[in-house]
Amino acid sequence: MKQQASNPDGHWNWPVPFSHRQAVRCGQMIWVSGQMAMSAAGKLDQAADLPAQIATCMQNVGRVLAGFGCGLGELVKLLCFYVNDGSVDETDFLSKVGAALPAGCQPAVTAVPTPYLPYSGIKVVIEAYAMIATDGSPLPRSYIPADGLSALPKPFASGIRCGKMIYISAQSPIDAAGQVLHPGEIIAQTRQVMSQIKTALAGFGTGFDDVVKMNRWYVGHGKTEDFEPAALACAENYKEPGPAATGIPIPRHARDGQQLKIEAVAMLGEDGGHLPRRNVWPDSLWDWTIDIPYYHGLKCHDMIFLGGQVSLDSAGRAVNPGNMKAQTGQAMVHIGSILAELGAGYSDICKLTTMYAGPSGAEALHENLRIRSAFFSPDGPATTDIALPVQAYPGMIIEIDAFAMAEPD
């Protein structure tokens, strides 16, 4: 499918050349790279000032969208990574993000606290998803009541439907009074959160069978035993073949006792009917250490979703443990294998989101960014890159989410 790019003159840029673009438009979708408070020369702006950096990020999102003749009002989802050592109130953080949105704009949102971000001094990275009709006109949206779901500050929506796409904001095990449910108990919290997602999906007349992508942000420290129990509790809700899925460990959530949050994307025909999908698992692909129903790749209509790709073997052991260059290359090869089975290729990728184990600093980011960038022509996909202390399995140091679009089967 034809892609368009938006790279505004004078916009911030990476400090070294890469093939990635600030935003990609394909069909009705617009994918915006993670926006930061950086200068056109790749220098930090507004050091250590979180509110100022939030405002700059949202201005950057708006500037990039303007390249497609639309604006912040067309947003359907924000994914916000922000530095939090426990001193930042997440509701206040989201309120500041929401204050930058125009009246009537009610996107879904996920906030992910991190101990640091890739470039030193950066306090927030915001990636965005927007939707417009192919002729550039606005698309209608619908929303669900927030009853029984995670409370969000205005103007954010617990769930939004636009065209065939349904975005469910990250659900947390927190009640209407702001109390953490089942503090410290990740399995009980997982079941609570999945119950909330079920409620959210039901508000749109759908269920887990229509979920195409799920992201789980859980408290973990790079150990298999951190990953497995809650992964199994989450997987109880799906039958094989399930959606593409990604599970990322972070050191902590914003509230004491909170162990995870989960976000989901579903697709439903505009007539309310189930959309057929095609799931693939190439023979060369890795496996988890436990039996879960997720597949590595899924195509639904013109959308392609991949589970986070890593450098593991068929028994869930790290291949080239601790080697960033080798693992990045292997993950990208896996992405190509999955896309090929779905009749697509690297040029069909619209967005990459990469989580890697490493310190804050340009050197660690650029080591894997150079390798990923080499898989694309000068007009590569949008990208967001997040540094974290560890990844899900011992010896594993990178996980790459890919989103692509191709003509319907």
Side-chain angles (χ1 to χ4, degrees):
M1 292 178 65
K2 182 181 177 181
Q3 295 183 3
Q4 298 173 269
S6 176
N7 291 298
D9 291 339
H11 200 73
W12 76 269
N13 209 343
W14 293 273
V16 289
F18 297 115
S19 64
H20 295 289
R21 296 175 282 180
Q22 291 291 352
V24 170
R25 177 183 175 186
C26 188
Q28 295 183 343
M29 293 295 306
I30 298 174
W31 316 78
V32 179
S33 289
Q35 297 298 300
M36 299 179 282
M38 298 273 279
S39 71
K43 301 294 185 181
L44 173 66
D45 193 11
Q46 299 158 334
D49 188 336
L50 178 58
Q53 288 195 20
I54 290 170
T56 297
C57 285
M58 294 304 294
Q59 289 168 5
N60 286 341
V61 172
R63 186 182 300 114
V64 170
L65 291 174
F68 299 118
C70 63
L72 295 174
E74 277 65 57
L75 290 172
V76 292
K77 168 75 185 294
L78 292 176
L79 178 55
C80 308
F81 299 92
Y82 70 106
V83 175
N84 191 353
D85 59 2
S87 62
V88 180
D89 181 273
E90 190 163 276
T91 299
D92 181 63
F93 165 75
L94 286 174
S95 294
K96 287 181 171 62
V97 175
L101 298 173
C105 179
Q106 303 176 64
V109 69
T110 295
V112 180
T114 63
Y116 46 77
L117 286 165
Y119 291 120
S120 180
I122 291 294
K123 298 297 182 182
V124 60
V125 173
I126 301 178
E127 73 171 42
Y129 307 73
M131 292 182 68
I132 56 175
T134 53
D135 65 2
S137 61
L139 289 169
R141 278 103 161 112
S142 60
Y143 308 91
I144 52 172
D147 298 345
L149 304 176
S150 295
L152 292 169
K154 292 180 179 181
F156 295 110
S158 298
I160 177 174
R161 178 172 183 177
C162 184
K164 297 177 177 65
M165 306 304 300
I166 296 172
Y167 296 93
I168 305 300
S169 290
Q171 295 297 300
S172 297
I174 299 171
D175 66 18
Q179 298 300 307
V180 174
L181 301 170
H182 316 291
E185 300 178 25
I186 193 168
I187 295 176
Q189 289 189 0
T190 299
R191 290 179 173 142
Q192 172 65 39
V193 165
M194 293 305 289
S195 174
Q196 292 170 206
I197 291 176
K198 182 179 180 179
T199 297
L201 292 169
F204 292 111
T206 186
F208 288 116
D209 288 349
D210 292 308
V211 173
V212 290
K213 183 69 168 76
M214 186 189 70
N215 290 335
R216 187 169 62 95
W217 308 93
Y218 68 96
V219 174
H221 307 286
K223 300 177 182 178
T224 304
E225 53 267 33
D226 296 336
F227 173 84
E228 291 183 343
L232 287 167
C234 186
E236 293 170 353
N237 297 276
Y238 297 102
K239 57 178 181 281
E240 199 166 332
T246 301
I248 300 297
I250 59 176
R252 58 166 295 138
H253 276 284
R255 294 175 184 260
D256 291 339
Q258 181 179 352
Q259 297 297 297
L260 84 164
K261 60 174 60 172
I262 302 174
E263 58 183 345
V265 181
M267 291 184 67
L268 196 66
E270 294 182 50
D271 61 358
H274 176 78
L275 290 172
R277 63 185 65 191
R278 184 154 57 99
N279 302 71
V280 299
W281 187 308
D283 292 339
S284 61
L285 265 287
W286 55 276
D287 201 354
W288 292 274
T289 53
I290 50 177
D291 185 18
I292 45 183
Y294 312 127
Y295 269 55
H296 288 295
L298 181 157
K299 183 177 183 184
C300 185
H301 191 63
D302 57 359
M303 301 290 291
I304 296 175
F305 301 89
L306 273 62
Q309 290 306 302
V310 300
S311 183
L312 297 177
D313 63 17
S314 59
R317 296 180 296 251
V319 177
N320 297 307
N323 186 324
M324 179 68 79
K325 291 182 179 179
Q327 288 199 19
T328 303
Q330 183 62 69
M332 291 300 298
V333 168
H334 287 328
I335 286 170
S337 298
I338 296 165
L339 291 172
E341 289 214 3
L342 291 169
Y346 292 109
S347 63
D348 297 303
I349 296 175
C350 300
K351 174 72 170 57
L352 292 180
T353 300
T354 301
M355 287 71 58
Y356 63 94
S360 178
E363 184 176 351
L365 169 61
H366 295 169
E367 182 180 18
N368 69 74
L369 188 50
R370 285 190 181 95
I371 296 167
R372 289 184 278 126
S373 183
F375 281 79
F376 304 101
S377 71
D379 290 328
T383 185
T384 299
D385 312 293
I386 301 300
L388 293 166
V390 296
Q391 289 293 303
Y393 286 117
M396 185 181 112
I397 56 174
I398 195 164
E399 183 157 356
I400 306 174
D401 259 1
F403 307 86
M405 294 185 71
E407 293 292 344
D409 292 341

